[in-house]
Every structure is written in structure tokens, then in C-alpha cells.
Amino acid sequence: MSALHQPASAGQRRRASVQPLPSDHLERVWAWGMSASAMEYVYRPSTVEALRGVFEFAKKQGRKIALRGAGRSYGDASLLAEEIGLDLTRMRRILDWNPTTGIVRVEPGVTIRDLWQVAIEDGWWPPVVPGTMHPTIGGCASMNIHGKNNYRVGPIGDHIREFELMLPSGAIKRCNREQNADLFYAAIGGFGMLGCFTSITLALKRIYSGHLAVTPIATPNLGAMLSEMEARLDRADYLVGWIDCFAKAGSLGRGLIHQADHLREGADPSAAQSLRVENQELPETFMWGLAPRSIMWRLMKPMVNNPCMKAVNWVKYLSSLRQSGKTHTQSHAEFAFLLDYVPGWKRAYLPGGLIQYQSFIPAPEAERVFRGQLEVCHQNRLPAYLGVVKRHRADDFWMTHGLDGFSLALDFKVTRYNRERLWAMTAQMNKLVIEAGGRFYFAKDSTLSGDQLHSFLSEDRVKRFLDMKRRCDPDTMLQTELYKRVFGQPALR
Ligand SMILES: Cc1cc2nc3c(=O)[nH]c(=O)nc-3n(C[C@H](O)[C@H](O)[C@H](O)COP(=O)(O)OP(=O)(O)OC[C@H]3O[C@@H](n4cnc5c(N)ncnc54)[C@H](O)[C@@H]3O)c2cc1C
């Protein structure tokens, strides 16, 4: 199944300094989208000292290490075949929480879920969250995640006050905007290539209710969606657009925007109740409480094909016309973590799994490029089953995917029959992105190649990052399959 699960080459084995690793640590580790996996020697330290021990051990054995949080990156960002997988999920302690200032200091394995659950009853919410609550803060900092409010508040890195980073030598660097500032801007978004976060200090956002006011707005085509989002930038706290990727011609890119706004102080008469954790939790059952949600993916599985997904998207668009303009309230968790409603939904894409293709395009070019991408999908008869549009802004992090524009995220089913065509199609789509000065996002990527990396990040930026990597990690101990794929060419090393 896996393209990555290749036994170590004879050349690798002959390297005198490379020692065998204990086979009881050998596990198959999966990309979240399940279209790739790797056999790795997995270590799960629970303390900073144990973490340092794994680095020392790897150095002695002449081995490479891939850092891994909750494994929620769609592609190969935390995989490394036949080497050490360093799983940080047991370093999951909240080190300090100040309910007056909203400043929290956490170990890297604390999840977004842990974070909102500790803070919400004191009236705080993470300033930036992804579409699922399961990623770790270490993984989120490492990819510099964005939320549905990116155009307003920037990526998570803009809210990180400070972090401690363990380098492969075992030394710990304290980094903030004044101290080791270069490393601060390089390691946030540095996809685990410079060191391992051991603690992260984050400023949370004040909220006055457990509810958001949510307004759906149906839009008849892509142009209408982008202009409607643009018109709401100044007043909306969150904006996200769903598009029906099967629609064609004048309806191409039709869909539904959701705008969500925080309630002002005093606007929620039962704020103390709505802020309770139990009033935020997503329901565990459906069908009037009769069936557990955990079985839903099995019901979805027979529908994950072109004709059924076309019908599902069509029905969703028709029903969006009825909801349009009607404001209602939703809990923060319900709005933010829509993708957690159906636990394990990705399994409906088995056996081949799925990839997500997300590109970021400067605002003036976005309609043309996204239109082109959707047309390429139609021409190749490889429609995306889910399409999501967000608005972004530029930021100061070195390896950023952020820019003043829009992103379109497209979910594609992978099968053994379409895999090659799908990869070839994304190469066509990449060309459109690069010509428009667009960007890609390592957390979602599965298909980018090294030459495309230079085009989107600029040679200077890549060189600066690799110089920093040489200083932090002179033996290139930290690697992943993603790193090897996009930075692996000899010219880049
Ligand atoms: C359903 C779904 C929805 C999503 N929605 C969004 C979204 O809206 N916005 C968005 O930006 N992303 C989104 N993502 C992507 C996700 O937020 C990122 O991939 C995030 O990095 C996952 O964190 P993780 O803990 O699972 O890290 P992993 O995926 O395990 O690792 C991610 C990277 O972090 C590195 N890493 C992990 N821990 C550390 C550490 N302690 N120190 C240094 N490096 C480390 C790894 O080497 C790897 O490069 C979504 C993912 C899913 C599955």
C-alpha cells in the first residue's frame, strides 16, 4: 500500500555508523489521509530528559528522527521510513495557566482540545484553531496553523509569546521576539526540522459567551463567494466557504459561506452556562440518540464515489439556499470543529485513503486560479469531494504559507487506479499556483516536488532556512519523508 514503506537500501545498510534499532519499537505509522505510511522505530518520551535521551541514542546509532505530534497532517509531514519516529503525545502537561491574563504554557503534546477545555470556563478560547481539535500544540506551532479567522488574527505563531526548543545536540534554546528572534521566526512553521518544542507559551483570546452568532450565506458561483467574503472581512470574526466541486459552467464554485461572530460582553444572559465544557462537547450519537456517531463512517463508505458525492453536494447546495441569511447560535466547538462530527470519517476513503490539496493565491488572482483548478479537475474526471475556501493574510514567519489572499482546500479520494493520474493532475494545478505567485502548505501537502519549492518560497528564503538548519542540526538528524521529497535534491542540501 505504501509508497514509503521501502526497506532501507543496501547503501544505507552499508553505512558503518548506522546501527540496528530494537525491533520491539517497530510500528507502522500512517499519514492522517492514509495514502502513505512508513515502518518506524517509535519512541514516546514523557519528560524532557527522556526526550534528550532519544536524541543521544539516535546520534550514537547514526539514526535520523522524525518528530510527530498527533499525526494529523494529511500527508507525509511526520513520517520517516526505517528510522526513529519520536512521538510527543505523552508530553502533555499544562505547565502554567493564568485565568486572569489568558497566558498558558504547555508541553508540546497538549492538544487543542486540552487547551480549550482548560480555558473556556474562565472565559478564554485558543486564538487560532484548525478544523479538528485533536492536533498537538507542538504540531500546530511547527506547521504554523491557520484558522477560519486567519485574515483577522494571523496564524498561531502570531499568538505564541515564547517557546523552548531542544536541538538535536540536547541543548535547549529559549526563543521569543527579542531573544533568538531568527530561530523564533524559523522554527514556527519550520515543520519540525530545526528542533523539538519542549514548551510553548501562548496568549489565548477573551470570550464572553460559549456561543457564536453564525450566519450562512449561499453563493451561486465562485466569483460571488470570493466577493461576498471580501465584503465581510471588516466585520466578520470567522469566515469559511464550502463549495460544490461538481458544479460546472455558470455555477462553477457555487457554495455556502459561514460567517461567525463572537457575542459582546453582556450579550449572553447565560454565559456562565454556555461556557461550561459539557455544553461545548460534540454529540456522541445521531438518529435521535439511537446510534453512536462512531459508526457513521461505515454508512458513508458506500457513498464515497463520484455519482453519490455529486448527489450529496447537490443536495447540500439546495438545502443551503433555504438556510441562507438566517442567523443562529452555535457553540465554539460545534462551529470550529465541524470535521470532528463524524469520528474516523477518513476511513470511508479506505482502502486508498485521501489527500488534501490546498493552495494559497493572492486575492486579485484567486478567482481565476481556483476556477482553473476546478476546471482541471473536471477535465481529468477527478472531482474533489470536499472544497473549502478561506481568507488569509501575510505573516513574518520564514517558511510561511500565509499571504494576502484566499486558499482553496480540495479533498481527493486516492485509489490504486487513480493515484498516478491524481499526482499528474496536481502537478498541472501547481503550475497555475506558481504562475500566480501562490503558495502551498506542508501540513496538507502530498505531491509537491523540490523544483516547485523554490518557485513558491524563493531561493533566498529556502537558503536562509537551510543555513539555520545547518546551525541547529548539523548532522541533519531531523528529517521526514516530506523533507526528503521537497528538500532532498543534492542541490538543496
Ligand atoms: C480534519 C483536519 C482538519 C484540519 N484543519 C486545519 C485547518 O483548518 N488549518 C490548519 O492550519 N491546519 C489544519 N489541519 C492540519 C493540522 O492542523 C496540522 O497538520 C497540524 O500540524 C497537526 O498537528 P499534529 O499534532 O497532528 O502534528 P503532526 O501532523 O504529527 O506533525 C506536524 C509537523 O509538526 C512536527 N512536530 C510535531 N511535534 C513537534 C514538536 N514538539 N516540535 C517540533 N516539531 C514538531 C512534525 O515533525 C511535523 O512536521 C487539519 C488536519 C485535519 C486532519
Side-chain angles (χ1 to χ4, degrees), residues 32 66-74 77-78 88 108 129-132 134-140 142-147 165 191-193 195-198 339-340 345 390 401 441 443-444 480 482:
W32 186 82
L67 302 175
R68 183 170 169 98
R72 253 57 184 190
S73 295
Y74 277 72
S78 61
L88 278 314
V129 296
T132 166
H134 303 299
T136 64
I137 305 301
C140 289
S142 192
M143 286 300 181
N144 203 10
I145 61 148
H146 60 264
L165 190 77
F191 57 107
M193 287 302 107
C196 180
F197 296 111
T198 53
L339 290 166
D340 292 337
W345 60 265
K390 289 188 207 133
H401 56 278
Y441 182 21
K444 306 289 182 75
T480 55
L482 167 78

Side-chain angles (χ1 to χ4, degrees), residues 118-416:
V118 84
I120 193 163
E121 294 189 2
D122 294 320
W124 299 92
W125 182 256
V128 173
V129 296
T132 166
M133 62 175 104
H134 303 299
T136 64
I137 305 301
C140 289
S142 192
M143 286 300 181
N144 203 10
I145 61 148
H146 60 264
K148 301 174 181 75
N149 52 358
N150 186 259
Y151 58 95
R152 254 199 124 113
V153 307
I156 198 164
D158 279 348
H159 307 271
I160 294 178
R161 294 280 174 95
E162 181 167 288
F163 60 77
E164 286 171 307
L165 190 77
M166 184 182 285
L167 306 184
S169 64
I172 292 189
K173 292 267 185 195
R174 190 159 165 228
C175 305
N176 53 45
R177 285 172 179 78
E178 284 80 44
Q179 193 178 348
N180 295 314
D182 268 6
L183 188 51
F184 182 85
Y185 286 102
I188 294 177
F191 57 107
M193 287 302 107
L194 301 179
C196 180
F197 296 111
T198 53
S199 80
I200 297 176
T201 306
L202 190 67
L204 304 196
K205 179 187 169 55
R206 186 43 110 189
I207 53 169
Y208 300 101
S209 167
H211 293 132
L212 292 165
V214 180
T215 312
I217 309 119
T219 46
N221 54 46
L222 185 64
M225 173 171 287
L226 301 189
S227 357
E228 192 65 50
M229 285 174 95
E230 203 66 21
R232 289 167 186 267
L233 289 186
D234 292 341
R235 51 200 156 107
D237 287 321
Y238 301 91
L239 283 170
V240 61
W242 160 81
I243 64 169
D244 170 1
C245 298
F246 289 84
K248 290 184 178 165
S251 300
L252 189 100
R254 70 182 175 192
L256 181 67
I257 297 171
H258 279 100
Q259 170 176 339
D261 299 310
H262 287 285
L263 303 192
R264 287 186 327 275
E265 189 170 6
D268 178 359
S270 46
Q273 278 308 311
S274 65
L275 288 166
R276 297 292 301 264
V277 169
E278 68 255 34
N279 294 330
Q280 294 287 324
E281 291 282 19
L282 303 181
E284 281 177 7
T285 55
F286 70 117
M287 286 183 15
W288 308 281
L290 295 175
R293 278 182 185 262
S294 52
I295 65 161
M296 278 176 91
W297 70 270
R298 290 179 197 279
L299 308 177
M300 284 166 60
K301 197 163 181 338
M303 296 169 68
V304 180
N305 55 57
N306 286 1
C308 290
M309 291 314 287
K310 184 174 181 175
V312 167
N313 276 266
W314 180 70
V315 170
K316 182 168 163 61
Y317 180 68
L318 287 188
S319 70
S320 77
L321 297 174
R322 280 209 313 275
Q323 304 161 25
S324 192
K326 295 178 190 153
T327 302
H328 58 280
T329 56
Q330 245 186 336
S331 78
H332 289 270
E334 276 176 310
F335 176 75
F337 308 123
L338 189 67
L339 290 166
D340 292 337
Y341 267 78
V342 180
W345 60 265
K346 63 178 183 173
R347 281 186 274 172
Y349 281 83
L350 284 172
L354 77 155
I355 58 167
Q356 186 172 99
Y357 179 92
Q358 186 175 20
S359 57
F360 297 71
I361 308 293
E365 300 291 322
E367 185 184 345
R368 184 182 61 77
V369 174
F370 294 156
R371 182 173 276 280
Q373 290 181 337
L374 292 170
E375 279 163 0
V376 165
C377 296
H378 288 308
Q379 284 152 15
N380 284 276
R381 293 199 175 77
L382 287 169
Y385 291 172
L386 177 67
V388 174
V389 175
K390 289 188 207 133
R391 184 64 166 89
H392 300 269
R393 76 178 195 194
D395 58 68
D396 296 329
F397 297 93
W398 287 15
M399 300 304 271
T400 186
H401 56 278
L403 49 63
D404 182 8
F406 291 89
S407 70
L408 172 62
L410 300 170
D411 283 10
F412 294 103
K413 178 177 179 169
V414 181
T415 68
R416 63 174 210 254

